Amino acid sequence: MKLLKPSWVSHNGKPIFSVDIHPDGTKFATGGQGEDSGKVMIWNMAPVLREEDEKNENVPKMLCQMDNHLACVNCVRWSNNGLYLASGGDDKLVMVWKRAAFIGPSTVFGSSSKLANVEQWRCVTILRNHTGDVMDVAWSPHDMWLASCSVDNTIVIWNARKFPEMVTCLRGHTGLVKGLTWDPVGKYVASQADDHSLKVWRTLDWQLEANITKPFSECGGTTHVLRLSWSPDGQYLVSAHAMNNSGPTAQIVERDGWKTNMDFVGHRKAVTVVKFNPKIFKKKQKNGSSPKPSCPYCCCAVGSKDRSLSVWLTSLKRPLVVIHDLFDKSIMDISWTLTGLGMLVCSMDGTVAYLDFSLDELGDPLSEEEKNTIHQNIYGKSLAITSTEAQLSTTIIENPEMLKYQQERQTSAQANQALSGAGLESATPKLNSVMNGESLEDIRKNLLKKQVETRTADGRRRITPLCIAQLDTGDFSPALFNSVPILPSGSSLSNQLTPQLSSDSSPGQGPALGLRPGHDALLTSPAPNSTAKGLEDNKDGIKTTLLLTSASKIEPMKALDSRFTERSKATPGVTAAISSTAGIMPLDRPKDSISVLKDVKIKDDTSSDSEDKMATINKNLMLNKRKPDLLMEDAAVVEKRKKGRPRKDKMPAPVPQTFTQVTPPTEREPSRVPPAPTPMAALKLATPSRQKTFSLQVSMEPSVFLEVENEVSLVAGSKLSQLKCTRDGRNWDTLLPSWVSTAAGSSDVIAVACEDRMLSVFSSCGRRLLPAIQLATPVSALHCSGHFVMSLTAGAVVSVWDVQKQKAVVKNESLLTILSGTDTTVSQSLLTQQGVPVIGLTNGKSYCFSSSLETWTLIADKGDSLVQCADFRSCLSTHDAPVASGPLAVMQGRNLNAGRLASRLSSTPHHMQQSMTLAFLENQLASALTLLSAQEYRYWLLIYARFLVNEGSEFRLRELCKELLGPVHKSAATAWEPTTLGLRKRELLGEVLPVIGANLRFQRLFTEYQDQLELLRNK
């Protein structure tokens, strides 16, 4: 690193409050105090960079001096295209400057003839709105807007395409606003003020997205500026002046959930300015060594009132460099060159310092294209795919509503200028990208070949898991703070990874490494301590390969089959403690003395109060959620066992089961043990084991507990059983004349099945609602949801009753149609809130019975290749809350909301990918409809609409709009229903139209339906 203080850059000893380097790197601007006014100066960069230019008198140092501001200038910023310079000062004005061509050099007014303006910069517009000093100005990523903030507590957004038009004024701060920054894709603008808060505003509707106050509660308003900065990958926002344990810090705010868990510590006084390097870096490759995939990282400079400057890399825990006493007074502003290797810093003492870094110190900067790929992977693409911006910009907008949506669309235009002309066609071939001449696929294969073996003290072999980074086009997961380097050595890897990986397994949260849920990074880590300990206890001499992969990456690993054929014994006590929602499979299964598929003993454990436990199912570990045969074609599959009581009369017999649901011990159901498989003709399902007493919680809100005690007393030779129920502290109980085999309930009804095949239904207060129902065969599973009761009998027959209306919804429907093959059985059953019975089978397929179609319909298939290849990331919206608890999401198990499955592994051509995604989305819509799940239907409908708009499928869009709009004029012949699942179709159309309006190609379609909708609304 080289450090230089060019003494010739000065405002005659007056303070310099701001500095900014021009995007082309040839000049820089400073702003500060002049003699009796504010002063903006433009300087030549060449004499700073090269000593010979500094000594050469023919190379001008100052290019232009502008004295138009009436008071001190607090901030100067170049626009991203370099055409404009914006300056804000104590005179409450923002001035925008542009270079005037064709005017020769002139002298500065009132100076001796030596000081000549080499370039002419003219003030082209003055923006007046603030009622106090303007503290900071910032251009949005594509120069759409210019934001300015002031001590009048407001932030004003100006339309940079039409100065001096004002877009909006953001009010909400209660103190002087002293800093602004845009996120790199233009979705948010963040501001920091003296009111101890940092606020993030959405550009979509200019509303407050987040208000962060915790790290700033101890701060005083002691700094002149609070220049905060957003990282170039958009993942982190770093604030100025924050406090941690009454020590000054720069707070790191994560975009994901606006969490404030990290900060930059070490400055002795308040941090005044933070500035991220515009480049994203990756580790420098040593010459001749094979390229190792490494996690990209960012670089950030922090300046403080303690006159020192620190530079941090997000891949290091400590700063890269700290320079103390660089100036005599507080640091006021920092600016990086666009190359990412040079930095100018200015201070209140009126001097400027230049720091020059080398690639060896910072790393290799990613190209603009790679940076765009990162943005696209994290935030999606917003360009109309078929026609380029240039063509679209000449389209005449024919409708005021369309104009509104177009303006909103431009606000969220995130594609970088480099991409602005490129359609998807040019983006697709990048799937097999190449790093340093070696294709990413090869790198992945080589990584998998190198197994690192270690021996434990007692001579057992251990294979150290390798961390296989994502190596597809989404290679660049966001640069992690303190991200862990990829180390093949055992000890260091486990020490570093284990604490960071004890991620909690609530649905929708990604791994704890700071990756957004959208990234399925292939994290391969030592298991969390519990598993590791469990495995240590096995003294049989095991080779344990623990390779955790996320669900989407499982298919291509068939090649590794041979690796997993050598299995090992494990004590039955070891339960799998793998906590993540990514659909992780323990590949190395414990081997029983018999390792043949047919002789595996497994106890089915299906929760009967399923609806109320749906949340629990989601929260609890979902193991082995895919068919294991994907990985081990011919090898035996042996599940980890669960403890439970085997039945007395029969030995448990083989049932392959791929879906184990773990429930907390307190809510453990009676274990069900499948009986021996009988011939196909008399197919039977497992029945619950006999238990003298059992209890279960059937509802959380209100809390309802059931207790069953069999054979309480003998009356006239018959044994009575007692059912006790506690609801919100109030108790009731009733007696039944036979042994109770299973019970279930909801907040409305309680159902009890006895061994004499009688089903009794009670209200939540204990009144009997239906006479006892006689079933043909014993009950296998019982569910209640709302006022619906569902029984699944051992004879594989499903019935659902609506207790409120006292009628059957589903009448004795046999499962024989869906139980194909002798080894398929039921792994899971549930009843939705709307009374739809859902059956999950061990072959990975899930069916629900549609009472309107009177048939079984397939709603989920774990082995479905469409699910693997559908890619609808770009169609997910930030506003739609993912529907994790709906019946469709529960049955599909894997958290589909991520939407970035194996799409990037399959190098399918774009049109194939498009057809697969389309088919998948249409399946999701149809399934949500059959399941009567309104929330999920709406969620998938909007994703489907966005996908159709992105792909330009006009016919399908038109048909969709037509169906939602319905007939404009009433007629007797029409069979159109105005609602679907209780959602009004025309209101859904109102939600779909803005999506269509975002693409200019469909403006005729948009106008047509918008007008008809208006017409109908006014009727």
Side-chain angles (χ1 to χ4, degrees):
M1 186 195 84
K2 297 187 195 129
L3 172 65
L4 162 78
K5 285 189 80 169
S7 53
W8 45 268
V9 179
S10 91
H11 288 203
N12 298 344
K14 297 274 195 304
I16 297 178
F17 284 116
S18 184
V19 63
D20 201 39
I21 301 174
H22 191 277
D24 68 9
T26 57
K27 47 176 141 314
F28 64 95
T30 56
Q33 188 73 51
E35 264 55 44
D36 47 5
S37 66
K39 188 185 274 188
V40 178
M41 299 182 79
I42 295 177
W43 306 86
N44 192 354
M45 198 71 185
V48 178
L49 301 174
R50 286 175 294 280
E51 199 177 352
E52 57 270 26
D53 285 344
E54 189 176 24
K55 290 177 176 156
N56 183 347
E57 287 184 5
N58 298 329
V59 176
K61 291 186 172 62
M62 190 194 78
L63 302 178
C64 188
Q65 173 179 328
M66 297 94 92
D67 298 318
N68 301 28
H69 274 284
L70 307 173
C72 175
V73 175
N74 292 314
C75 186
V76 288
R77 292 288 180 261
W78 295 99
S79 63
N80 296 289
N81 58 17
L83 294 178
Y84 298 101
L85 174 69
S87 59
D90 285 355
D91 53 5
K92 309 172 192 170
L93 303 178
V94 176
M95 295 192 183
V96 180
W97 307 82
K98 190 177 181 199
R99 187 170 174 185
F102 315 123
I103 304 179
S106 68
T107 56
V108 175
F109 179 74
S111 68
S112 57
S113 58
K114 281 209 306 280
L115 271 172
N117 279 340
V118 180
E119 292 180 359
Q120 299 302 317
W121 287 78
R122 295 269 176 271
C123 176
V124 288
T125 184
I126 296 181
L127 306 175
R128 296 181 169 87
N129 184 276
H130 287 293
T131 54
D133 310 1
V134 177
M135 298 307 297
D136 202 0
V137 294
W139 296 86
S140 73
H142 305 291
D143 296 332
M144 272 285 302
W145 304 292
L146 174 67
S148 61
C149 66
S150 156
V151 299
D152 63 11
N153 302 1
T154 66
I155 299 127
V156 176
I157 310 289
W158 310 89
N159 182 349
R161 308 267 167 95
K162 298 183 194 145
F163 283 131
E165 182 187 300
M166 196 176 117
V167 178
T168 185
C169 176
L170 307 178
R171 301 173 193 279
H173 279 292
T174 54
L176 324 181
V177 190
K178 295 183 173 179
L180 282 175
T181 178
W182 293 87
D183 88 309
V185 291
K187 241 184 189 169
Y188 301 112
V189 59
S191 57
Q192 193 176 345
D194 272 348
D195 59 6
H196 312 303
S197 80
L198 184 159
K199 295 189 192 306
V200 183
W201 313 81
R202 287 190 294 274
T203 57
L204 194 67
D205 51 4
W206 301 112
Q207 296 303 307
L208 189 65
E209 164 83 11
N211 182 24
I212 298 147
T213 53
K214 197 168 138 220
F216 311 108
S217 50
E218 304 173 41
C219 299
T222 52
T223 58
H224 185 83
V225 288
L226 296 167
R227 304 199 200 274
L228 63 170
S229 180
W230 214 301
S231 65
D233 61 4
Q235 294 295 92
Y236 299 97
L237 168 61
V238 178
S239 82
H241 191 23
M243 297 289 259
N244 186 348
N245 281 339
S246 50
T249 67
Q251 182 65 46
I252 298 163
V253 180
E254 296 177 51
R255 185 198 195 101
D256 179 21
W258 310 111
K259 297 194 278 287
T260 52
N261 305 331
M262 302 178 279
D263 44 22
F264 292 132
V265 188
H267 284 285
R268 296 185 302 281
K269 288 187 183 169
V271 171
T272 50
V273 51
V274 179
K275 197 57 169 278
F276 267 97
N277 189 314
K279 290 283 187 199
I280 301 175
F281 295 91
K282 57 175 187 281
K283 289 230 168 38
K284 186 115 180 83
Q285 303 294 338
K286 302 267 190 314
N287 290 342
S289 73
S290 63
K292 289 191 184 65
S294 67
C295 200
Y297 51 89
C298 302
C299 167
C300 178
V302 180
S304 157
K305 278 181 74 173
D306 64 10
R307 315 193 303 284
S308 66
L309 176 82
S310 56
V311 178
W312 304 72
L313 298 183
T314 56
S315 56
L316 302 175
K317 289 194 169 66
R318 305 212 107 96
L320 180 71
V321 59
V322 180
I323 305 166
H324 290 290
D325 304 319
L326 185 55
F327 300 101
D328 301 331
K329 287 188 181 168
S330 167
I331 291 180
M332 294 311 291
D333 203 0
I334 300 172
S335 175
W336 288 91
T337 58
L338 215 53
T339 61
L341 296 177
M343 171 171 61
L344 274 172
V345 190
C346 71
S347 160
M348 204 128 163
D349 65 10
T351 60
V352 168
Y354 177 72
L355 281 77
D356 182 37
F357 293 92
S358 68
L359 288 170
D360 291 328
E361 291 161 327
L362 296 184
D364 284 328
L366 303 187
S367 67
E368 276 307 299
E369 192 161 40
E370 292 172 303
K371 194 162 135 185
N372 286 335
T373 311
I374 293 184
H375 286 173
Q376 200 175 312
N377 280 333
I378 306 179
Y379 312 109
K381 176 195 280 89
S382 69
L383 280 187
I385 284 159
T386 39
S387 39
T388 63
E389 289 278 273
Q391 289 167 315
L392 278 180
S393 58
T394 58
T395 312
I396 295 165
I397 294 178
E398 309 160 3
N399 173 328
E401 285 282 326
M402 187 76 192
L403 182 66
K404 185 177 102 190
Y405 289 123
Q406 277 304 309
Q407 285 165 345
E408 282 176 17
R409 177 182 163 274
Q410 285 172 334
T411 64
S412 59
Q414 308 151 0
N416 261 315
Q417 288 157 336
L419 256 181
S420 66
L424 206 140
E425 288 70 32
S426 61
T428 317
K430 292 189 213 116
L431 280 167
N432 299 331
S433 42
V434 172
M435 268 171 71
N436 299 22
E438 196 174 353
S439 91
L440 300 172
E441 210 44 55
D442 296 347
I443 297 178
R444 182 180 269 129
K445 282 186 189 128
N446 292 344
L447 265 176
L448 289 175
K449 277 180 206 155
K450 302 174 195 149
Q451 277 196 354
V452 183
E453 279 193 13
T454 52
R455 295 247 173 198
T456 57
D458 50 1
R460 290 186 286 178
R461 291 194 299 161
R462 285 274 174 273
I463 289 180
T464 306
L466 275 180
C467 181
I468 306 165
Q470 261 180 302
L471 289 184
D472 34 25
T473 49
D475 174 32
F476 313 112
S477 44
L480 306 180
F481 276 77
N482 307 335
S483 50
V484 182
I486 294 174
L487 300 165
S489 68
S491 56
S492 48
L493 179 79
S494 47
N495 296 348
Q496 278 179 291
L497 267 177
T498 312
Q500 284 182 304
L501 270 156
S502 51
S503 132
D504 84 325
S505 59
S506 53
Q509 287 199 349
L513 270 181
L515 286 163
R516 299 166 54 78
H519 291 254
D520 36 25
L522 261 153
L523 291 174
T524 314
S525 81
N529 305 341
S530 48
T531 326
K533 182 174 178 296
L535 294 171
E536 288 299 335
D537 296 343
N538 305 337
K539 296 282 182 250
D540 313 329
I542 307 177
K543 164 192 167 195
T544 314
T545 313
L546 202 92
L547 194 126
L548 312 185
T549 82
S550 79
S552 58
K553 301 290 197 294
I554 283 178
E555 292 273 68
M557 295 190 133
K558 283 186 186 168
L560 306 179
D561 251 345
S562 54
R563 248 224 235 154
F564 305 124
T565 47
E566 186 187 332
R567 294 255 171 28
S568 42
K569 298 191 182 64
T571 52
V574 185
T575 45
I578 295 154
S579 51
S580 160
T581 49
I584 287 177
M585 300 200 55
L587 297 185
D588 214 88
R589 303 287 172 81
K591 187 172 73 172
D592 236 310
S593 43
I594 348 149
S595 73
V596 189
L597 191 56
K598 299 192 186 63
D599 301 337
V600 185
K601 300 183 277 186
I602 287 158
K603 293 150 198 161
D604 189 335
D605 177 68
T606 320
S607 133
S608 75
D609 45 328
S610 131
E611 188 66 15
D612 291 298
K613 274 200 196 156
M614 241 153 55
T616 330
I617 296 176
N618 266 347
K619 280 187 213 124
N620 290 327
L621 317 181
M622 296 269 229
L623 299 186
N624 327 330
K625 300 214 38 192
R626 307 186 39 135
K627 294 197 286 186
D629 337 353
L630 287 182
L631 283 155
M632 310 162 210
E633 301 277 279
D634 39 10
V637 181
V638 186
E639 281 293 349
K640 301 209 173 177
R641 303 235 203 93
K642 289 224 188 141
K643 294 179 181 162
R645 271 182 237 163
R647 277 181 70 172
K648 299 177 183 68
D649 48 353
K650 302 187 182 158
M651 267 316 283
V655 178
Q657 182 209 7
T658 56
F659 179 95
T660 319
Q661 168 201 330
V662 186
T663 44
T666 54
E667 302 176 6
R668 202 36 86 71
E669 279 287 303
S671 310
R672 320 254 157 87
V673 182
T678 43
M680 188 64 190
L683 188 120
K684 296 276 180 288
L685 299 181
T687 53
S689 59
R690 280 178 70 109
Q691 283 176 299
K692 180 137 173 30
T693 57
F694 59 92
S695 62
L696 63 152
Q697 179 173 7
V698 294
S699 163
M700 304 282 184
E701 272 303 316
S703 76
V704 181
F705 284 94
L706 291 184
E707 281 182 59
V708 171
E709 190 175 351
N710 286 314
E711 299 187 353
V712 205
S713 61
L714 279 165
V715 178
S718 71
K719 297 174 179 174
L720 295 181
S721 303
Q722 185 180 42
L723 166 71
K724 278 187 190 163
C725 175
T726 313
R727 178 191 166 102
D728 281 340
R730 289 197 294 283
N731 294 2
W732 59 264
D733 60 88
T734 183
L735 292 168
L736 294 153
S738 169
W739 183 288
V740 175
S741 56
T742 180
S746 68
S747 50
D748 302 331
V749 295
I750 281 140
V752 181
C754 301
E755 284 200 344
D756 58 4
R757 308 200 309 279
M758 285 294 185
L759 174 68
S760 305
V761 180
F762 301 94
S763 77
S764 54
C765 301
R767 285 189 315 117
R768 180 182 276 280
L769 294 178
L770 299 176
I773 297 172
Q774 177 73 60
L775 301 169
T777 47
V779 168
S780 166
L782 196 58
H783 298 292
C784 295
S785 168
H787 46 83
F788 295 101
V789 176
M790 161 182 168
S791 79
L792 171 61
T793 65
V797 170
V798 167
S799 304
V800 178
W801 296 274
D802 181 339
V803 180
Q804 205 172 19
K805 295 183 181 158
Q806 301 234 346
K807 58 178 261 206
V809 185
V810 176
K811 299 174 193 148
N812 297 339
E813 286 301 335
S814 168
L815 295 187
L816 290 179
T817 42
I818 57 174
L819 288 169
S820 54
T822 46
D823 53 351
T824 308
T825 183
V826 176
S827 63
Q828 185 192 16
S829 57
L830 61 93
L831 179 64
T832 73
Q833 292 284 357
Q834 288 74 28
V836 180
V838 183
I839 304 285
L841 302 180
T842 47
N843 59 12
K845 292 185 164 63
S846 303
Y847 295 88
C848 78
F849 188 81
S850 162
S851 46
S852 54
L853 298 171
E854 297 196 358
T855 171
W856 288 102
T857 53
L858 178 71
I859 53 162
D861 184 358
K862 305 270 162 62
D864 184 359
S865 52
L866 289 179
V867 184
Q868 314 301 318
C869 307
D871 179 12
F872 48 91
R873 297 196 298 279
S874 54
C875 308
L876 293 172
S877 153
T878 45
H879 303 312
D880 304 345
V883 277
S885 61
L888 186 59
V890 170
M891 290 318 286
Q892 289 178 331
R894 191 188 310 97
N895 200 347
L896 269 174
N897 308 326
R900 28 172 70 242
L901 298 173
S903 59
R904 298 189 307 275
L905 276 182
S906 62
S907 48
T908 45
H910 174 63
H911 64 91
M912 276 295 289
Q913 178 95 50
Q914 182 183 343
S915 311
M916 284 169 160
T917 309
L918 201 58
F920 169 73
L921 291 175
E922 286 172 355
N923 283 347
Q924 292 295 86
L925 267 179
S927 300
L929 207 51
T930 322
L931 282 168
L932 309 182
S933 171
Q935 278 316 96
E936 291 178 299
Y937 180 74
R938 182 181 161 276
Y939 173 76
W940 288 108
L941 180 74
L942 289 173
I943 290 179
Y944 180 56
R946 282 188 209 107
F947 183 76
L948 292 181
V949 169
N950 285 359
E951 297 295 346
S953 331
E954 185 159 358
F955 293 125
R956 273 186 160 93
L957 264 180
R958 186 173 285 283
E959 190 181 62
L960 180 68
C961 292
K962 192 171 152 190
E963 163 56 24
L964 291 177
L965 183 74
V968 182
H969 307 291
K970 288 192 174 65
S971 69
T974 174
W976 184 75
E977 291 286 332
T979 61
T980 175
L981 307 185
L983 303 165
R984 302 186 74 85
K985 287 186 182 174
R986 286 173 181 163
E987 283 172 14
L988 284 175
L989 179 61
E991 290 187 67
V992 169
L993 280 175
V995 176
I996 299 175
N999 190 335
L1000 259 178
R1001 296 180 57 238
F1002 298 126
Q1003 70 164 322
R1004 294 282 164 88
L1005 180 71
F1006 171 85
T1007 308
E1008 178 184 331
Y1009 281 97
Q1010 180 74 28
D1011 290 351
Q1012 294 191 62
L1013 202 56
E1014 283 302 315
L1015 201 90
L1016 287 164
R1017 278 188 189 142
N1018 300 335
K1019 265 191 178 178

